[in-house]
Amino acid sequence: MSEVWDVVVAGAGIVGAACAAECAGLGLRTAVVEAAEIGGGATAAGMGHIVVMDDSPAQMALTHYSQTLWHALSPHLGPAVEYESCGTLWVAVDDQEMDEVRRKHRVYASAGITTEILDSHSLAEAEPHLRQPLAGALLVPSDGVLYPPCAAACLMEQAQHNGARLYAPRRVVFARAGTARLDDGTELHAAHIVLAGGADTVQLLPELPIRGRKGHLVITDRYPGMVRHQLVELGYLKSAHSVTTDSVAFNVQPRRTGQILIGSSRQYGAEDSAVDHEILAAMIDRTRWYLPDAGSLSAIRVWTGFRAATPDKLPLIGPWPGDETLILATGHEGLGITTSLATARLVADHLLGRKPKISIEPYLPERFSRSLAHA
Amino acid sequence: MSAHFDLVVVGAGPAGIAAAIAAARAGRSVALVDDNPAPGGQIWRHGAHLPAAARKWLVELQASSVVPFYGWRVIDHPAARLIRAESGADCTDLQYDRLILATGARERFLPFPGWTLPNVLGAGGLDAMVRGGLPIAGKRVVVAGTGPLLFAVAGHLAARGAKILAICEQAQLGHLASFARCLLSDPAKLFQGAGYMLAARGARLHTGCWPVAAAGTTQLESVTLCQGSRKWTVACDYLACGFHLAPNTELAQLLGCRTAYGFVVTDDLQRTSVTDVFCAGEPTGIGGVELALIEGQIAGLAAAGKLRDAQSLVPRRQRKLGFVAALRESCTLNPSLRNLADEDTIVCRCEDVRHAALRGRASWRDAKLHTRCGMGPCQGRICGVATEFLFAWHADSVRPPVLPAMVSSLASPGPTRNQPASLSAETAISAHSKETP
Ligand SMILES: Cc1cc2nc3c(=O)[nH]c(=O)nc-3n(C[C@H](O)[C@H](O)[C@H](O)COP(=O)(O)OP(=O)(O)OC[C@H]3O[C@@H](n4cnc5c(N)ncnc54)[C@H](O)[C@@H]3O)c2cc1C
Ligand SMILES: Cc1cc2nc3c(=O)[nH]c(=O)nc-3n(C[C@H](O)[C@H](O)[C@H](O)COP(=O)(O)OP(=O)(O)OC[C@H]3O[C@@H](n4cnc5c(N)ncnc54)[C@H](O)[C@@H]3O)c2cc1C
């Protein structure tokens, strides 16, 4: 069997689903191939924090752009997506971290994002269960949270509504020169094949500079109102001299259900998805330092997931230099829920030859083929 | 807090009690862990009115060197040869050389309109509440579902003065007949069965019959039953309803033990696929008390290194396996039971997921991710068993905790370590806050 499409999207995680929705919405004949469940990969493991991050100007540009797209989409998301604009509180423990709060405040302001600096007292009022006293926090009111698997399903429905065809459960086993071959032998031909298989994209392109970075999360029973914002620590300065790549951070999220999602950890080189009790314990200890009452909450499940990490922490969006029919949309590390919509928009702009709203340059895969060639 | 034992037994039902006693007699140090405040498991835990044989086991347990951990729930397996248990706000680690899993079974529930109304209860559940003091004298009770548990419960409730209006067994009479033949070959079982029938005297037994709806404004007022094309409504105070038992295999799965057809696979000496982990009783196959006792003894002896003694009990176990097969056959669910739920019937009680939301889902995981079915505190223990029958789905991986546990218990046993692990740069695991989330 052989069929002709404008675009084939390999993978229906949140990134693939967003790309499919965008392409189908523009009238492109779109086929989507998903090996398992819609949004069942890293998308099902992620926290769903829609957050603007300022690690680098390129990261800031992509997260900010994508967040504005989420804001525009949010009225159309439906209740299952559980979109909440709860805002983020970047929590500072001491004066040094308060300097970071002020720096962040300026950076966000220069990007046109309104934030608010909370002192110790107003932080305690905003989040009474946090440890006291803390130095203060930066409130980013425009950040939000959602439930990623249903967000992916919602985008996929939108794509199908606009004519996209879903092949599932089907795996792309080969993709080159405008042809995608599926595990049942079907061949799909298209001008472009969008590779959105998350960390598994390396199975199709082994030379991709992507490594899985394992993360742990804990979900609790329902405690409505106990935590009101996504709470994230700013304490990275003190551990900047860390000697290993394993790390944990205080990162806690209120769900619309009243449940509390506790994160997070990062590990390289961990291949299997089993719970690692040592890092889990470190993550929980850290959570309890910031949120002492968290220890006595009832936990109902722990799980792990893998982030698709690139060496420079920026995603791979755009044509693959070895074969320009292949368009990459992967490598989103810990921000793929947030940046999925902007990724899809950049991919569509590329396919149609439109001028993108933000430069695609920093995310182009060719940055790595260049460095490989010089090595 | 942490303690070491030669042998840790999880579950103090008949299987676990027999295992613990056998191993203690062989000179091993043994811990017996159960989440209930007293030993006995599903059938013996309520103390009073126990048969002599049961009392004998409990007295012997009491007199043995077995160290009790009653009221402790095993929640996790944080490292090799270690399980973690929680009791109230306390948490402890138990180290073992060998582990015996005797975690028993739970009732299987099937959703039908009205099954979530107050006073619609599991058959074993209502029985336990009555043993715990719920007044039942004079109350009108319909007992429905499948399996010998229905007769046991009806008999017991009748003895306490309940009016058993009907016993509805979904199986056809033919199925029951073959089961009864099997009972005849097993005098102990026959005695038990007959006793229950006598006690339940006066109750009508309907075969090929089941509830199609329960109704009431704030609580149960009536049940509609069906038998073939006949349908009728019975006013009642309680509906005790269970569709046989489902094994508790979660802990075994967390430990990595191989399962087949939903049960833990063991060899003749109750050894699982994981070295030094044994399993006995209902998780290996639903077979009742006597089989649980034999399997428990085999496991206890084998784990204590008394292989020859363990081996000598194997033929006794073998003889009981016919009963397991007959039980399984007689409790095979009629496919029509798949049609009991209507669109609005809740299937997952924790998350209020209705039948309509689940129709057309490709798998348990698909349903779970997109409808939240099975994502609540029971983690699919109830709805997962139902959807396995309704949609032929199989539950996904087991993750810690095995039962809901305090967040702190997932980190460490004993006193709280209430400091950040990594606010100092020396620690191996560093903080990464800026790279949220
Ligand atoms: C613990 C944790 C917390 C996180 N928290 C957040 C957060 O708060 N905010 C945020 O923005 N991001 C977060 N992330 C990151 C986010 O989850 C990911 O970046 C995002 O889900 C990636 O989406 P994806 O579609 O690229 O990949 P995936 O979700 O992995 O989807 C890839 C899909 O492609 C399919 N597939 C793969 N190969 C093939 C093939 N050959 N053929 C067909 N199909 C294929 C897979 O089955 C899968 O469904 C977190 C990640 C983790 C692990
Ligand atoms: C609700 C119910 C009522 C029953 N009533 C009758 C009856 O009236 N008559 C009859 O003949 N048979 C009855 N049965 C069947 C009977 O219980 C079994 O045949 C028999 O008890 C099997 O013994 P066992 O040791 O395998 O399991 P069980 O008796 O089920 O014992 C298992 C024990 O392990 C404990 N446990 C499980 N997981 C954990 C954990 N993670 N941490 C700590 N403890 C744990 C359980 O709470 C339980 O106490 C009933 C079964 C059920 C489910």
Side-chain angles (χ1 to χ4, degrees), chain A residues 133-149:
Chain A
L134 287 166
L138 184 71
L139 171 63
V140 187
S142 47
D143 287 351
V145 306
L146 52 69
Y147 177 57

Side-chain angles (χ1 to χ4, degrees), chain B residues 330-341:
Chain B
S330 74
C331 295
T332 302
L333 297 179
N334 187 318
S336 311
L337 295 169
R338 292 204 177 93
N339 309 323
L340 288 185

Side-chain angles (χ1 to χ4, degrees), chain A residues 190-202:
Chain A
H192 294 101
I193 301 172
V194 177
L195 299 184
D200 282 353
T201 311
V202 291

Side-chain angles (χ1 to χ4, degrees), chain A:
Chain A
M1 203 171 60
S2 149
E3 293 175 26
V4 182
W5 300 90
D6 291 329
V7 194
V8 169
V9 181
I14 193 139
V15 173
C19 290
E22 190 72 33
C23 292
L26 290 166
L28 298 174
R29 284 170 305 155
T30 307
V32 184
V33 188
E34 169 52 56
E37 297 85 11
I38 308 286
T43 300
M47 273 186 130
H49 186 197
I50 304 297
V51 55
V52 173
M53 295 279 294
D54 64 341
D55 256 9
S56 62
Q59 190 191 61
M60 180 101 179
L62 191 66
T63 52
H64 185 202
Y65 179 35
S66 210
Q67 189 176 72
T68 59
L69 297 175
W70 278 113
H71 285 161
L73 188 63
S74 62
H76 311 287
L77 286 175
V81 179
E82 295 177 5
Y83 183 86
E84 289 284 340
S85 43
C86 58
T88 304
L89 275 174
W90 293 90
V91 177
V93 300
D94 57 20
D95 289 347
Q96 199 185 354
E97 289 184 13
M98 279 311 281
D99 289 343
E100 173 63 8
V101 162
R102 284 181 281 271
R103 188 200 63 81
K104 242 175 145 60
H105 176 70
R106 285 192 302 276
V107 172
Y108 281 56
S110 66
I113 301 169
T114 311
T115 63
E116 194 186 324
I117 297 177
L118 304 191
D119 63 13
S120 180
H121 179 73
S122 32
L123 175 59
E125 242 166 40
E127 292 288 351
H129 288 273
L130 274 176
R131 167 193 200 86
Q132 286 182 29
L134 287 166
L138 184 71
L139 171 63
V140 187
S142 47
D143 287 351
V145 306
L146 52 69
Y147 177 57
C150 285
C154 176
L155 290 164
M156 196 57 224
E157 264 164 37
Q158 198 185 316
Q160 285 172 288
H161 178 77
N162 285 319
R165 166 114 170 251
L166 174 64
Y167 293 79
R170 288 270 82 85
R171 175 171 289 278
V172 175
V173 291
F174 169 90
R176 277 295 140 88
T179 296
R181 192 160 62 239
L182 312 193
D183 51 2
D184 65 350
T186 303
E187 287 202 344
L188 306 179
H189 305 288
H192 294 101
I193 301 172
V194 177
L195 299 184
D200 282 353
T201 311
V202 291
Q203 291 171 4
L204 293 171
L205 272 184
E207 55 271 59
L208 282 184
I210 288 183
R211 290 166 73 196
R213 214 170 172 196
K214 185 172 173 178
H216 287 71
L217 294 174
V218 179
I219 188 84
T220 70
D221 206 342
R222 300 177 182 216
Y223 301 95
M226 180 177 166
V227 172
R228 300 162 187 175
H229 307 80
Q230 176 113 13
L231 304 176
V232 191
E233 66 166 271
L234 265 177
Y236 72 100
L237 286 175
K238 297 206 174 91
S239 55
H241 307 294
S242 143
V243 286
T244 67
T245 54
D246 288 0
S247 63
V248 296
F250 169 62
N251 186 350
V252 159
Q253 176 179 95
R255 309 284 323 162
R256 183 184 281 179
T257 52
Q259 292 174 291
I260 294 170
L261 188 50
I262 298 173
S264 59
S265 67
R266 278 183 158 77
Q267 287 168 286
Y268 275 125
E271 305 272 297
D272 88 68
S273 61
V275 170
D276 175 331
H277 282 81
E278 192 185 339
I279 198 139
L280 175 65
M283 184 175 104
I284 289 172
D285 286 346
R286 196 163 185 89
T287 304
R288 295 178 66 193
W289 189 84
Y290 281 92
L291 196 68
D293 296 342
S296 55
L297 304 183
S298 177
I300 61 179
R301 193 172 171 95
V302 181
W303 70 85
T304 63
F306 289 88
R307 306 169 181 93
T310 62
D312 63 1
K313 300 187 199 156
L314 291 174
L316 298 163
I317 307 171
W320 176 242
D323 176 350
E324 306 241 328
T325 67
L326 301 183
I327 310 297
L328 295 184
T330 181
H332 294 79
E333 220 273 346
L335 285 168
I337 311 297
T338 304
T339 55
S340 55
L341 296 185
T343 299
R345 194 59 70 85
L346 289 175
V347 164
D349 288 338
H350 173 80
L351 298 186
L352 297 183
R354 292 188 310 204
K355 185 176 163 13
K357 203 142 188 193
I358 62 169
S359 169
I360 195 174
E361 190 70 29
Y363 324 110
L364 285 173
E366 66 178 37
R367 69 189 189 275
F368 291 111
S369 52
R370 254 186 272 121
S371 67
L372 285 177
H374 293 167

Side-chain angles (χ1 to χ4, degrees), chain B residues 94-246:
Chain B
L94 298 176
Q95 291 173 43
Y96 57 83
D97 293 337
R98 291 189 169 161
L99 179 67
I100 297 180
L101 303 174
T103 46
R106 57 182 178 263
E107 281 186 276
R108 173 163 61 185
F109 300 112
L110 296 181
F112 53 85
W115 77 291
T116 52
L117 272 176
N119 294 352
V120 178
L121 296 159
L126 178 60
D127 194 55
M129 285 165 72
V130 168
R131 288 176 200 269
L134 178 78
I136 199 74
K139 300 286 186 206
R140 299 161 302 165
V141 182
V142 172
V143 181
T146 199
L149 182 56
L150 300 186
F151 302 100
V153 168
H156 175 240
L157 298 182
R160 298 277 185 112
K163 285 194 203 130
I164 307 294
L165 302 183
I167 302 175
C168 308
E169 164 60 66
Q170 61 89 38
Q172 302 293 340
L173 196 55
H175 279 268
L176 287 185
S178 66
F179 180 63
R181 263 198 303 284
C182 171
L183 284 183
L184 283 177
S185 67
D186 190 334
K189 286 271 171 208
L190 178 65
F191 180 75
Q192 217 181 15
Y196 291 139
M197 285 314 285
L198 283 177
R201 194 177 42 216
R204 271 291 298 276
L205 170 64
H206 305 274
T207 55
C209 174
W210 53 80
V212 290
T217 39
T218 56
Q219 59 181 47
L220 178 72
E221 289 164 17
S222 69
V223 181
T224 302
L225 301 168
C226 92
Q227 187 179 37
S229 56
R230 178 172 162 239
K231 253 189 206 171
W232 71 104
T233 299
V234 182
C236 61
D237 302 306
Y238 289 100
L239 171 59
C241 188
F243 291 85
H244 200 41
L245 304 177

